Amino acid sequence: MKKNYLLNLIAMLIVGTAMAQPPVATQTKKVIADKIIAVVGDKIVLKSDIENSLADMQRQGVEIPENAACLTLEQAMGIKALVLQAEKDSLPVTDEDIETDIDNRIRNYINQFGSTSELERIAGKSVYQLKEDFKEGIRDQKLSQAMRNKVVQDIRITPKEVQEYFNKIPTDSLFLYESEVEIGQIVIFPKASRDAEEYAFQQLKEYKDLIESGKKDFCTIANNYTEDPGSKDKCGQYEINRSQKNLDPTWLSKAFSLKEGQISTPFKTKFGYHILQMVSRSGDDAIVRHILKVPQVTKIEIKETQERLDSVRSKLIAGTMSFGEAVSKYSNDDASKFTAGMLQGRDGSFLTIDQLDKDMVVMLKDLKVGQYSQPVEYTDETGKKGVRIVYLKTKTEPHRENMKDDYNRISQRALEEKRNDALDAWFIKKIPTYFIMVDDEFKSCPEMQKWVAGSNTASNK
């Protein structure tokens, strides 16, 4: 169990995802009788749970080890034990939390498959049925995570323990890292002139008139003229829910104020100017189309912004303002404003060159650690023009993992191992207090021995 729980958080998420994965192509093979292969307290694990989890991991390209079934069963039983204790301890997981998670997953699947109807076709079920199917798995996932957090929340680690952990790693097993950088940026997106904003507004008003007069259809105009790359090839169409947190609130409110078929007047959000059409609506779910026009920023606004950031750079170099203060006061880039301007990647704030946009790579060419770039014009991933200063905080050369350069990473792994040890100890203590049953097919699995031993202990009491 100890080895398996080194990454138990990831395993829980994998199991949770498998429970909530649409049953793709379920009609293409014969149905095999299911059976209970494990019991923890009043919680059961079905053979199909394990088979579906393995199939889901294969679809995601996860490498499946020979003992995958045993490993997956152990993880599933671990989750059941955590859920049992969470219920006993009355840990709070609300219906609203579960519903929000389900809605997010459904939206992800809709985006993945292209539409609600395509998701329902592939799953062989309605969205309502899928949501019902997801509830138990997502509830268990949240409860087990809450219980795990409770078990390990007070675990801390000292520098001495980190060193001892590092000393146990064979030299040839230490990670090899590419050159990495920590980069911050201060970004200002210039405001377009009033004339440019009025022009965008008038363009959308003309589009609305053409559509309502029947001279043009919404789809054609959206495909040809919208400046939203996410919907340009889809007639400007989105499937949305009233509770979505990732949508601009003004845009969302405007959408749900429309009747079916109605087109809004042009309105403004932080992204630009829009018109919206309500295609269809069912309760809090809706299909809408929209067209976005972004008022064009001229060289005049760009130059004014560069001059403004140049004065900010002077303060940074003089030391009269810290980088974090400058970000808080001047930057209007949502992606980095709340991380003190530091860009984030797969491994926290450390980024490899391939994770940077090509313009930033050019800016770093002559920049030394601790320096600030000149204010430079750039275009973000949405096509929005801005000006930014880049700050090179740290830069590492390609190297084998060591305590000096990689202490934070090593300490995090050491802490996770200590937490896993504490979780193992918790399981050893708790297993004998539950009713445990393991099917004969899995009793010989090494991963099942603590569970089998625990069931024997419980039966002898």
Side-chain angles (χ1 to χ4, degrees):
M1 183 184 297
K2 183 174 183 179
K3 294 289 186 181
N4 300 324
Y5 277 97
L6 290 176
L7 294 174
N8 73 90
L9 173 58
I10 295 175
M12 287 182 193
L13 294 175
I14 290 173
V15 172
T17 302
M19 291 178 178
Q21 182 73 18
V24 179
T26 53
Q27 304 302 317
T28 61
K29 56 183 180 182
K30 295 181 179 179
V31 177
I32 300 173
D34 210 348
K35 71 172 182 176
I36 297 172
I37 58 172
V39 179
V40 182
D42 61 352
K43 311 292 182 184
I44 66 170
V45 180
L46 298 173
K47 190 169 186 178
S48 61
D49 293 336
I50 306 305
E51 291 173 344
N52 289 339
S53 293
L54 295 176
D56 185 67
M57 285 187 277
Q58 285 180 322
R59 283 193 294 271
Q60 296 180 40
V62 177
E63 185 176 347
I64 307 297
E66 291 184 7
N67 61 338
C70 297
L71 290 168
T72 307
L73 177 58
E74 183 196 17
Q75 296 291 348
M77 293 179 71
I79 288 176
K80 300 299 183 186
L82 288 166
V83 170
L84 277 174
Q85 194 62 41
E87 291 174 341
K88 182 178 179 180
D89 293 354
S90 300
L91 297 187
V93 172
T94 66
D95 290 341
E96 183 180 356
D97 290 337
I98 295 170
E99 290 294 334
T100 298
D101 203 333
I102 290 173
D103 287 340
N104 288 337
R105 289 173 189 242
I106 289 291
R107 281 194 291 273
N108 287 338
Y109 290 134
I110 289 172
N111 290 334
Q112 179 183 344
F113 295 114
S115 66
T116 299
S117 58
E118 183 64 10
L119 169 61
E120 291 179 334
R121 184 189 70 79
I122 291 173
K125 297 180 179 181
S126 68
V127 165
Y128 175 79
Q129 290 171 317
L130 285 172
K131 287 183 176 182
E132 288 299 308
D133 289 347
F134 292 176
K135 280 184 180 179
E136 183 179 354
I138 291 176
R139 174 182 174 275
D140 283 359
Q141 180 185 327
K142 286 186 169 296
L143 282 173
S144 62
Q145 185 61 60
M147 190 64 230
R148 180 195 187 273
N149 290 343
K150 182 179 179 180
V151 172
V152 304
Q153 65 185 358
D154 295 325
I155 303 296
R156 301 290 184 269
I157 197 161
T158 66
K160 181 181 177 182
E161 289 174 311
V162 176
Q163 184 67 63
E164 290 172 349
Y165 167 83
F166 181 75
N167 291 342
K168 291 187 298 184
I169 305 173
T171 301
D172 59 0
S173 297
L174 294 171
F175 290 106
L176 289 171
Y177 295 116
E178 300 177 47
S179 178
E180 294 177 312
V181 291
E182 285 186 291
I183 295 177
Q185 63 178 6
I186 302 170
V187 178
I188 297 179
F189 294 107
K191 290 184 178 180
S193 67
R194 183 171 297 182
D195 287 344
E197 294 208 357
E198 179 62 25
Y199 180 65
F201 182 92
Q202 289 300 326
Q203 280 185 299
L204 289 171
K205 190 174 182 299
E206 289 176 14
Y207 298 156
K208 173 181 166 67
D209 292 342
L210 286 170
I211 296 166
E212 290 181 333
S213 67
K215 295 178 180 178
K216 294 281 186 179
D217 64 86
F218 200 107
C219 182
T220 299
I221 292 180
N223 284 346
N224 288 332
Y225 299 110
T226 187
E227 294 175 42
D228 171 26
S231 65
K232 187 173 181 62
D233 298 326
K234 301 185 297 184
C235 298
Q237 185 164 301
Y238 284 106
E239 298 192 23
I240 61 173
N241 181 276
R242 186 191 289 273
S243 64
Q244 272 183 261
K245 304 297 184 185
N246 62 331
L247 296 176
D248 181 272
T250 301
W251 189 93
L252 193 63
S253 175
K254 178 66 71 172
F256 280 94
S257 71
L258 300 173
K259 298 177 181 179
E260 289 193 6
Q262 185 180 2
I263 300 173
S264 74
T265 55
F267 64 98
K268 185 180 181 180
T269 71
K270 63 181 179 180
F271 300 103
Y273 285 86
H274 314 254
I275 55 172
L276 266 165
Q277 181 185 45
M278 175 63 72
V279 178
S280 63
R281 178 177 172 183
S282 177
D284 287 340
D285 295 311
I287 298 175
V288 299
R289 295 191 183 113
H290 92 129
I291 297 171
L292 168 68
K293 297 301 290 185
V294 180
Q296 293 302 299
V297 174
T298 68
K299 290 295 182 181
I300 295 174
E301 289 87 38
I302 292 291
K303 184 178 179 181
E304 289 174 348
T305 305
Q306 286 175 322
E307 290 172 351
R308 185 182 179 195
L309 274 178
D310 192 54
S311 66
V312 174
R313 180 174 181 269
S314 297
K315 293 177 182 179
L316 292 170
I317 293 173
T320 58
M321 178 179 288
S322 71
F323 186 76
E325 288 173 335
V327 170
S328 178
K329 187 172 182 179
Y330 298 105
S331 185
N332 52 18
D333 171 37
D334 292 339
S336 59
K337 188 173 179 65
F338 301 106
T339 60
M342 302 308 295
L343 302 185
Q344 302 296 302
R346 297 185 295 264
D347 199 8
S349 61
F350 289 93
L351 301 162
T352 55
I353 297 301
D354 65 310
Q355 292 176 273
L356 307 176
D357 64 74
K358 63 180 187 301
D359 293 327
M360 183 173 284
V361 174
V362 174
M363 293 174 70
L364 291 177
K365 185 177 179 182
D366 299 317
L367 207 60
K368 295 179 181 178
V369 172
Q371 290 186 337
Y372 306 95
S373 74
Q374 296 287 339
V376 176
E377 177 185 352
Y378 87 111
T379 304
D380 73 3
E381 64 277 3
T382 68
K384 195 173 182 180
K385 288 186 177 181
V387 180
R388 64 182 172 183
I389 290 174
V390 170
Y391 166 49
L392 180 57
K393 182 179 180 181
T394 65
K395 181 178 181 179
T396 66
E397 297 301 321
H399 66 282
R400 190 176 289 278
E401 188 173 61
N402 61 78
M403 287 286 285
K404 178 183 176 182
D405 298 318
D406 310 297
Y407 180 85
N408 288 340
R409 288 167 166 155
I410 297 166
S411 64
Q412 188 57 45
R413 296 207 311 272
L415 176 60
E416 194 62 25
E417 182 177 85
K418 189 174 181 179
R419 286 173 174 170
N420 289 327
D421 289 342
L423 194 62
D424 278 343
W426 183 87
F427 272 106
I428 291 170
K429 179 182 177 181
K430 288 292 181 180
I431 286 174
T433 69
Y434 303 134
F435 171 75
I436 304 292
M437 186 281 285
V438 179
D439 189 80
D440 290 341
E441 180 183 350
F442 293 91
K443 280 185 177 179
S444 61
C445 292
E447 294 80 9
M448 289 293 103
Q449 296 316 299
K450 286 186 174 66
W451 295 93
V452 174
S455 66
N456 293 335
T457 301
S459 62
N460 291 330
K461 288 185 177 179

